[in-house]
Amino acid sequence: MNKPVHAPQNQFPVAGGELQIGGMPLSRLAERVGATPFYAYDRALVKARMAQLRAALPAGLKLHYSIKANPMPAMVQLMAGLADGLDVASGGELSTALDTGFDPADISFAGPGKSMAEIRRAIAAGVCINAESAAEVERIAHQAKELGLAPRVVLRVNPDFELKASGMRMGGGAKPFGIDAERVPEVVAQLRRHGIEPLGLHIFAGSQSLKAEAVVEAHASGFALALRLAEDCAFLPRMLNLGAGFGIPYFPGEAALDLAPVAAGLAAWLPRVRERLGDVRVSLESGRYLVGEAGVYVARVLERKESRGQVFLVTDGGLHHHLAASGNFGQVIRKNYPVAIGNRMDAQARESVTVVGPLCTPLDMLAERMELPQADSGDLVVVFQSGAYGLSASPTAFLGHPAPAEVLV
Amino acid sequence: MNKPVHAPQNQFPVAGGELQIGGMPLSRLAERVGATPFYAYDRALVKARMAQLRAALPAGLKLHYSIKANPMPAMVQLMAGLADGLDVASGGELSTALDTGFDPADISFAGPGKSMAEIRRAIAAGVCINAESAAEVERIAHQAKELGLAPRVVLRVNPDFELKASGMRMGGGAKPFGIDAERVPEVVAQLRRHGIEPLGLHIFAGSQSLKAEAVVEAHASGFALALRLAEDCAFLPRMLNLGAGFGIPYFPGEAALDLAPVAAGLAAWLPRVRERLGDVRVSLESGRYLVGEAGVYVARVLERKESRGQVFLVTDGGLHHHLAASGNFGQVIRKNYPVAIGNRMDAQARESVTVVGPLCTPLDMLAERMELPQADSGDLVVVFQSGAYGLSASPTAFLGHPAPAEVLV
């Protein structure tokens, strides 16, 4: 049996032995940024991914960007021009979304622990609030009354199914997210007692799935649940957000999600849904899938060091900037992200190396015993698949090193 | 067999049903801070821990504080008045240490990926540099020549043994940390060619051990290695930093480290070491052990939520503030930190609850199915053992929530 390998990382062209990011050789980009380490996101790749998704999926389906995947303001601004909706998960993200000038009616705010201040801001801004519980509905109604404004309320449902074969299961069973499906009718009644008609449903079963059949099944279950709830509550949802669940391949042996069956599944359901619910706005929400593969994390080798037969590349970057690549975020067994020496893409001589950072902890590792071109101080280590849940999901203050730069090129 | 339980958390007194932090009831402290969540560190407990350690360990042994455990400036200032040395791991920590007014000769800077700028600053400041490799020695010598200053160089050794039964193994085998023990003689010769006499040795085998015999063995191996290296290099170390390795109990079934055998082991070795090396400054370096148990993380319950028979306490705090307590930092299988409802310490009625944060991810969990007093919105969840590697090791920007406050009381 062959050893599992990483999915090919050919989204960035190579020229003159260098990876080209945003159309610029990596070493020149590093000079443009002015310091390592840095994150770089390729604008053209983000646009291409969105275009590819629109081409693959049925027409009329709305595509939302989930800001939490990458909240860099320039990225959110870019996505504001590409996506049909922006989804936020905190007051901070709400500010970033509003600052783009995006229509508040197409911004939605989900999250199980919204503060009173966040709820108040969301109502004042006119964005949709994805209510997560009966208690939150009371808080929304109370704040809306105080403000004298009609709130836009979508019900987030904890479904009675889960996204199988996914990195993150967020629905099914007992969960802190959303209103248990079986309790939605009473919450709809509760809203109506406050004179508020719910705008729609948010049904999100999980994320980071690479198995098309699991995604298709989750979407089908979501549609079926939405129709059942509409029936049970005598309620006509105007909006239906199904999440998406689309994953990207990070680790050896993983392969890209096949969109064709997913598109076919959606195409089969959409007419049935429209027949029953009329002109409902059906959306998928994605973060990682839209931006994850467009980004790299770049660190410079400070020293090539041998210790007892093993080669270490000690870099100026590490877990404090990219926790997920170090294996400390959501992984059980540490696996390597795809990594390259970005200025030696044509090199023939390869060796097994371990790439570490400057921190005094054995957790600070970006690649463990990986076959890479021979590298030395000054070379640029590239961690692929770093456009989502990279910088913002990392403990940048750990050990007091400077934060990395971020560029959208 | 009984289910394993957490070590008792009785370092904070309880009065009127409330945990007392810094001599103040928790609910009043929350008002003093003005917002939740927050970290609070108890000044008296830090002092008591240092005094207890000094009383237990042989006289003449120096005790250093490793700033990376908790770099809050007020904490470092407190430790500057208690410890015999401050150990830093970055230029940022170096600044914090120097700002306390501490004698630079008793500050040491370790770390496998020091930048040229950091090395230059360390020489200019007059602190000890724990050199991690032959290449780093060259960089130090070069910068010292440029600055016209004599550098203070200690050799960090990657020992030929490890700290058994520890949370973090940092020595033994192939490592990015320090100079392999067998190559120390050539590095000493290299330094001497630059006219630099090494000041001493830093031998650090690992951290977070709760097994006295493992710590005793690591110290003994460290002393023996130091004597052997002194012999091999015809070199009289003036400083010997053995690390410490002292852990604190975090998880069910763990018990506090027994200091008596550790002290006995050190007492047996010190006279032998002094006989051979004369008036060498022997130090232990500790971070977590000095401050970890003196700190709590406090979050407020926003909502008590039931989902399909399970009770969730949704709080305003979570993994973005306390990554380690969420099980995402250095743990393989998630286990609960000790947790309490700090304003209901006398409550009788208990229930099994899961404590989560406001983030839209199932990783955001502070306690899973734990028996706690019945709590509701407004109550204060306390995570114990949070004085070290808490805030600074957490991804505070994740999902755009505000950072928590930190107080030393």
Side-chain angles (χ1 to χ4, degrees):
Chain A
M1 238 176 68
N2 289 327
K3 217 175 127 184
V5 296
H6 284 107
Q9 295 294 317
N10 48 18
Q11 62 271 51
F12 302 98
V14 171
E18 289 215 41
L19 210 60
Q20 310 287 305
I21 310 281
M24 188 176 280
L26 183 64
S27 59
R28 177 167 165 191
L29 178 59
E31 295 296 339
R32 185 193 126 162
V33 173
T36 53
F38 61 89
Y39 278 89
Y41 316 116
D42 191 310
R43 185 184 292 271
L45 286 181
V46 173
K47 288 183 186 172
R49 173 55 60 99
M50 184 60 105
Q52 173 207 357
L53 206 52
R54 288 207 189 274
L57 299 181
L61 197 69
K62 302 292 181 185
L63 296 175
H64 289 203
Y65 177 56
S66 179
I67 290 186
K68 63 172 177 281
N70 188 327
M72 182 195 187
M75 177 67 89
V76 178
Q77 188 70 56
L78 172 63
M79 295 306 303
L82 300 173
D84 304 308
L86 296 176
D87 298 321
V88 306
S90 67
E93 291 186 3
L94 177 61
S95 297
T96 307
L98 291 170
D99 286 345
T100 64
F102 207 75
D103 183 352
D106 291 328
I107 296 174
S108 66
F109 184 177
K114 298 183 198 79
S115 70
M116 211 61 111
E118 286 175 323
I119 290 170
R120 205 174 161 94
R121 286 187 58 204
I123 297 168
V127 303
C128 291
I129 305 177
N130 294 6
E132 306 264 348
S133 69
E136 191 170 289
V137 161
E138 284 306 297
R139 289 195 284 273
I140 294 168
H142 176 79
Q143 293 293 333
K145 210 161 289 172
E146 276 209 7
L147 288 165
L149 294 168
R152 297 173 61 81
V153 180
V154 164
L155 296 180
R156 179 168 180 185
V157 182
N158 174 25
D160 41 15
F161 60 89
E162 62 184 23
L163 174 55
K164 291 170 190 158
S166 66
M168 296 268 172
R169 294 182 191 185
M170 303 194 50
K175 285 281 179 306
F177 310 110
I179 299 155
D180 293 343
E182 58 276 20
R183 296 170 71 174
V184 169
E186 65 189 78
V187 176
V188 170
Q190 177 195 350
L191 267 172
R192 285 174 173 159
R193 283 195 300 276
H194 286 294
I196 303 167
E197 184 62 19
L199 282 176
L201 298 167
H202 177 204
I203 301 177
F204 184 37
S207 67
Q208 180 49 21
S209 180
L210 294 168
K211 299 276 169 263
E213 62 273 35
V215 173
V216 171
E217 190 188 309
H219 289 171
S221 303
F223 281 124
L225 177 57
L227 295 183
R228 204 170 76 226
L229 290 174
E231 185 85 33
D232 292 354
C233 309
F235 147 63
L236 196 66
R238 308 319 309 132
M239 305 167 81
L240 177 56
N241 175 342
L242 277 196
F246 301 173
I248 63 173
Y250 286 107
F251 306 120
E254 292 184 348
L257 174 69
D258 182 4
L259 281 181
V262 174
L266 291 164
W269 269 96
L270 280 178
R272 288 177 59 187
V273 171
R274 297 206 194 284
E275 192 190 311
R276 292 273 299 283
L277 303 180
D279 191 25
V280 58
R281 183 183 191 282
V282 180
S283 60
L284 295 185
E285 167 182 346
S286 180
R288 191 195 310 266
Y289 190 80
L290 291 174
V291 298
E293 304 197 294
V296 291
Y297 172 64
V298 181
R300 198 178 288 280
V301 178
L302 295 171
E303 186 177 330
R304 184 181 184 281
K305 179 172 179 176
E306 287 192 48
S307 168
R308 296 175 183 149
Q310 196 175 328
V311 177
F312 292 90
L313 299 179
V314 183
T315 72
D316 56 6
L319 82 76
H320 51 319
H321 299 163
H322 201 334
L323 188 65
S326 79
N328 286 289
F329 198 64
Q331 298 184 39
V332 178
I333 303 298
R334 189 196 178 287
K335 292 178 202 157
N336 287 332
Y337 267 49
V339 166
I341 308 297
N343 59 322
R344 296 187 181 272
M345 298 300 287
D346 294 342
Q348 295 305 311
R350 296 174 83 85
E351 62 182 352
S352 168
V353 299
T354 292
V355 182
V356 301
L359 308 186
C360 267
T361 163
L363 299 176
D364 188 21
M365 195 183 279
L366 293 174
E368 187 173 15
R369 294 177 189 268
M370 214 168 163
E371 289 288 319
L372 289 176
Q374 275 186 12
D376 211 328
S377 54
D379 285 331
L380 296 168
V381 171
V382 171
V383 181
F384 292 106
Q385 307 296 77
S386 299
Y389 302 110
L391 180 57
S392 71
S394 298
T396 49
F398 193 45
L399 266 62
H401 290 273
E406 253 188 330
V407 290
L408 175 64
V409 284
Chain B
M1 236 177 71
N2 290 326
K3 216 175 128 186
V5 296
H6 283 108
Q9 295 293 318
N10 48 20
Q11 63 271 50
F12 301 98
V14 170
E18 288 215 44
L19 210 60
Q20 310 287 306
I21 311 279
M24 189 177 279
L26 183 65
S27 59
R28 178 166 164 191
L29 177 60
E31 296 294 341
R32 185 192 127 163
V33 174
T36 52
F38 61 89
Y39 277 89
Y41 315 116
D42 191 310
R43 186 184 291 272
L45 285 181
V46 173
K47 289 184 186 171
R49 172 54 62 99
M50 184 59 105
Q52 174 207 355
L53 206 52
R54 288 207 188 274
L57 299 182
L61 198 68
K62 302 292 180 185
L63 296 176
H64 289 204
Y65 177 57
S66 180
I67 290 184
K68 65 173 176 282
N70 188 327
M72 183 196 187
M75 177 66 89
V76 178
Q77 188 70 58
L78 172 63
M79 295 307 302
L82 299 173
D84 305 308
L86 296 177
D87 298 322
V88 305
S90 69
E93 291 186 4
L94 176 62
S95 297
T96 307
L98 290 170
D99 285 345
T100 64
F102 208 75
D103 184 351
D106 292 327
I107 297 175
S108 65
F109 183 177
K114 299 181 198 83
S115 70
M116 211 61 111
E118 286 175 323
I119 289 171
R120 206 174 161 92
R121 285 187 59 203
I123 296 169
V127 304
C128 292
I129 304 177
N130 294 4
E132 306 263 348
S133 70
E136 192 170 288
V137 161
E138 284 307 297
R139 289 196 284 275
I140 294 167
H142 176 79
Q143 293 294 333
K145 210 161 288 174
E146 275 208 9
L147 288 165
L149 293 169
R152 298 173 61 80
V153 180
V154 164
L155 297 180
R156 180 168 179 186
V157 182
N158 174 23
D160 40 15
F161 60 90
E162 61 184 24
L163 174 56
K164 292 171 190 157
S166 65
M168 295 270 173
R169 294 184 191 183
M170 302 194 51
K175 286 281 180 303
F177 310 111
I179 300 155
D180 292 344
E182 58 276 20
R183 294 169 72 174
V184 169
E186 65 190 78
V187 176
V188 170
Q190 178 194 351
L191 267 172
R192 285 176 174 158
R193 283 196 299 277
H194 286 293
I196 303 166
E197 183 62 19
L199 283 175
L201 299 167
H202 177 203
I203 302 176
F204 184 38
S207 68
Q208 179 51 21
S209 179
L210 294 168
K211 297 279 170 259
E213 61 272 35
V215 172
V216 170
E217 189 187 310
H219 289 170
S221 303
F223 281 125
L225 176 58
L227 295 182
R228 204 170 75 227
L229 291 174
E231 186 84 30
D232 292 352
C233 310
F235 147 63
L236 197 65
R238 308 319 308 133
M239 305 167 80
L240 177 55
N241 175 342
L242 278 197
F246 302 172
I248 62 172
Y250 286 105
F251 306 120
E254 292 184 348
L257 174 69
D258 182 3
L259 281 180
V262 174
L266 291 165
W269 269 96
L270 280 178
R272 287 176 60 185
V273 171
R274 297 208 193 282
E275 193 191 311
R276 293 274 299 281
L277 303 180
D279 191 25
V280 58
R281 184 183 191 283
V282 180
S283 59
L284 295 185
E285 166 181 345
S286 179
R288 190 194 310 266
Y289 190 79
L290 291 173
V291 298
E293 304 197 294
V296 291
Y297 172 64
V298 181
R300 198 179 288 279
V301 178
L302 296 170
E303 186 177 332
R304 183 181 185 282
K305 178 172 180 176
E306 287 191 50
S307 168
R308 296 176 182 147
Q310 196 176 327
V311 177
F312 292 90
L313 300 178
V314 182
T315 71
D316 56 7
L319 81 75
H320 52 320
H321 298 164
H322 201 334
L323 188 65
S326 79
N328 286 288
F329 199 65
Q331 297 184 41
V332 178
I333 304 298
R334 190 198 177 287
K335 293 178 201 156
N336 287 331
Y337 267 49
V339 166
I341 306 298
N343 59 322
R344 296 188 181 273
M345 298 300 287
D346 293 342
Q348 296 303 313
R350 297 173 84 85
E351 62 182 353
S352 169
V353 298
T354 292
V355 182
V356 301
L359 308 187
C360 266
T361 164
L363 301 175
D364 190 20
M365 194 183 279
L366 293 173
E368 187 171 16
R369 294 176 190 268
M370 213 167 163
E371 289 288 320
L372 289 176
Q374 274 186 13
D376 213 327
S377 56
D379 286 332
L380 295 168
V381 171
V382 171
V383 181
F384 293 106
Q385 308 296 77
S386 298
Y389 301 110
L391 179 57
S392 70
S394 297
T396 48
F398 193 45
L399 267 61
H401 290 274
E406 255 189 329
V407 290
L408 176 64
V409 284

